[in-house]
Amino acid sequence: MLRRAATICLAALLTLGGCGTPDPPPRPPVVHVFPPFDTKRALPEQRIVVRAQGGTLSQVLAYTSGASVPGTLDATRTAWRSDWTLKPGSEYTITATAKGSGGPATVAMGRFRTRPAERTFGLAAIAPLPGETVGVGMPIILDFDTPVHPKAAVERALEVRTTPPVEGAWRWTSDTRAVYRTRRFWPARRKVTVTAHLAGVRLAPGVYGAADQTFGFTVGREQISEVDAATHRMAVRRDGRTVQDMAISAGTASTREYTTTSGIHLTMDKGDPVRMISPGRSKGDPGFYDVMIDHAVRISDSGEYVHAKDNVWAQGRANVSHGCINARPDQAAWFYANSLRGDPVTITGTTRELAWQNGWGYWQLPWDEWRSESALFSEASKPSQGLP
């Protein structure tokens, strides 16, 4: 009898490869969520991380206040990470599904809360305005309501989206202002969306961004003006075609103050009329003026405008202004009506250079110099301070 049992077992080994118990069924994958479910005071500067052990993630759903939380799966589909930091004092719900190789799926569901902020920061002002149509040189300017330190965490949360993408970089011009400039002028007729993902960004212990802010604007037609103070002419080109050829009069250059600045200016704002008062002079002083000027388009912070003036005798012949670009009243009215904020106005032919900090003179800086003051620009790639 024992010999017969041994023979049966040997036959089973030959045909089935064994004589023991069958292999156990596949174990379901394990899902790990961070911050852990039921946490009451998660740090807002963290991000949600979901990992699958023994399988891959097929779906991750995260919500707060009824809004979906965007996130990204890695290439192996074993880890999901929220794209941005978390809103302070908020509840998050997570549902994650993981699948193994042939076994049952695992569904993990739960929630956690983030700790509230002791103090918050955010945006105090923006340019362009939401929905505004701007010129191809327009910068994006964000002013914060508190000094920003460290800057890298905030800059990392700033997103500029356009299709197709356009290369650009942020530069901190002060502790409260970040300016975005593209490498080259914006392509015409492009829609741009800006999002400051500030919720959960930490400036100091207990100090967090309270909420995200999104706004959009449109880049309009390409209009670029070229002013030659030496020949007293201004040409306005739209989409590559000359639409105005204007006789002008620039600054007298009798003093530095009355010398028009050469460089790439941007139209900043306009008024009709604008009151212009001589800087640093009082009534009765030599050179004092206090006048109302029609159809004035500002191009710097040092008092330069393209504006109307009835000194037609000088336009096209001589520079007699206090630094502005004077044009024939009808042509100045046309320029006023057809200017968008951010239209480039390039001036040549003078001995005074436009400083990049003067108004929106940001295009005065070469690209590498511009992006070198991005908080995210690595020290290793900064331009050398030595000789070329």
Side-chain angles (χ1 to χ4, degrees):
M1 193 69 180
L2 289 175
R3 181 176 299 171
R4 184 179 178 188
T7 303
I8 293 172
C9 186
L10 178 60
L13 285 170
L14 291 174
T15 58
L16 300 177
C19 193
T21 59
D23 292 335
R27 300 179 62 181
V30 178
V31 175
H32 301 278
V33 178
F34 180 85
F37 291 148
D38 300 323
T39 301
K40 302 300 183 185
R41 291 177 58 83
L43 295 174
E45 65 265 35
Q46 301 174 137
R47 304 197 186 192
I48 302 170
V49 179
V50 180
R51 297 185 184 278
Q53 182 179 349
T56 57
L57 293 167
S58 58
Q59 187 180 60
V60 176
L61 300 175
Y63 293 92
T64 182
S65 302
S68 176
V69 177
T72 305
L73 270 172
D74 69 358
T76 65
R77 301 186 66 87
T78 59
W80 179 95
R81 189 171 186 255
S82 62
D83 292 338
W84 309 102
T85 50
L86 309 178
K87 187 176 181 179
S90 299
E91 183 173 88
Y92 285 78
T93 59
I94 314 293
T95 302
T97 304
K99 293 183 178 179
S101 55
T106 297
V107 179
M109 301 177 62
R111 63 189 63 201
F112 65 86
R113 288 194 65 84
T114 55
R115 65 179 60 185
E118 297 172 15
R119 186 162 61 89
T120 62
F121 77 96
L123 295 177
I126 60 172
L129 298 175
E132 184 176 358
T133 299
V134 299
V136 295
M138 185 70 195
I140 300 169
I141 303 173
L142 303 182
D143 290 319
F144 295 87
D145 59 12
T146 192
V148 173
H149 298 286
K151 292 178 172 62
V154 172
E155 186 176 329
R156 196 174 290 114
L158 304 179
E159 182 184 23
V160 179
R161 299 193 307 276
T162 183
T163 304
V166 177
E167 184 179 6
W170 294 95
R171 181 185 179 97
W172 291 87
T173 60
S174 74
D175 285 343
T176 57
R177 172 170 285 190
V179 179
Y180 184 91
R181 199 203 87 183
T182 48
R183 182 169 189 168
R184 299 175 182 86
F185 291 152
W186 292 101
R189 302 170 182 85
R190 185 67 56 89
K191 293 189 178 298
V192 183
T193 301
V194 182
T195 303
H197 298 274
L198 299 180
V201 175
R202 179 180 180 271
L203 287 191
V207 182
Y208 292 99
D212 298 342
Q213 184 169 343
T214 298
F215 64 96
F217 62 93
T218 300
V219 181
R221 79 290 176 271
E222 180 191 71
Q223 180 167 297
I224 299 174
S225 301
E226 295 177 354
V227 177
D228 188 337
T231 62
H232 320 294
R233 306 298 301 185
M234 175 175 172
V236 183
R237 295 183 174 85
R238 182 175 294 176
D239 297 325
R241 183 174 64 90
T242 300
V243 291
Q244 281 287 332
D245 184 8
M246 304 159 61
I248 58 93
S249 179
T252 65
S254 58
T255 65
R256 176 176 172 79
E257 177 186 358
Y258 291 165
T259 302
T260 304
T261 57
S262 285
I264 305 173
H265 304 67
L266 297 178
T267 54
M268 301 175 66
D269 55 49
K270 54 187 179 180
D272 180 31
V274 170
R275 185 183 182 186
M276 298 188 183
I277 304 174
S278 51
R281 291 174 173 82
S282 301
K283 191 173 182 178
D285 291 345
F288 172 82
Y289 59 85
D290 184 349
V291 292
M292 301 299 291
I293 299 295
D294 294 336
H295 297 115
V297 180
R298 185 162 67 98
I299 59 173
S300 78
D301 277 345
S302 55
E304 294 169 302
Y305 288 77
V306 177
H307 66 70
K309 188 72 174 175
D310 57 5
N311 59 342
V312 179
W313 60 269
Q315 293 163 11
R317 298 177 179 85
N319 293 326
V320 299
S321 84
H322 295 116
C324 292
I325 304 298
N326 299 166
R328 202 174 70 201
D330 63 312
Q331 289 186 315
W334 180 93
F335 186 75
Y336 179 94
N338 287 275
S339 289
L340 300 172
R341 286 207 300 172
D343 284 339
V345 178
T346 299
I347 300 175
T348 58
T350 77
T351 59
R352 182 183 175 188
E353 191 76 9
L354 174 68
W356 76 266
Q357 310 98 322
N358 185 352
W360 294 346
Y362 306 131
W363 292 96
Q364 289 292 93
L365 292 180
W367 173 245
D368 285 344
E369 187 175 350
W370 173 263
R371 65 176 183 157
S372 69
E373 290 303 315
S374 161
L376 301 181
F377 193 70
S378 66
E379 290 292 330
S381 62
K382 283 189 176 181
S384 170
Q385 299 300 308
L387 295 173

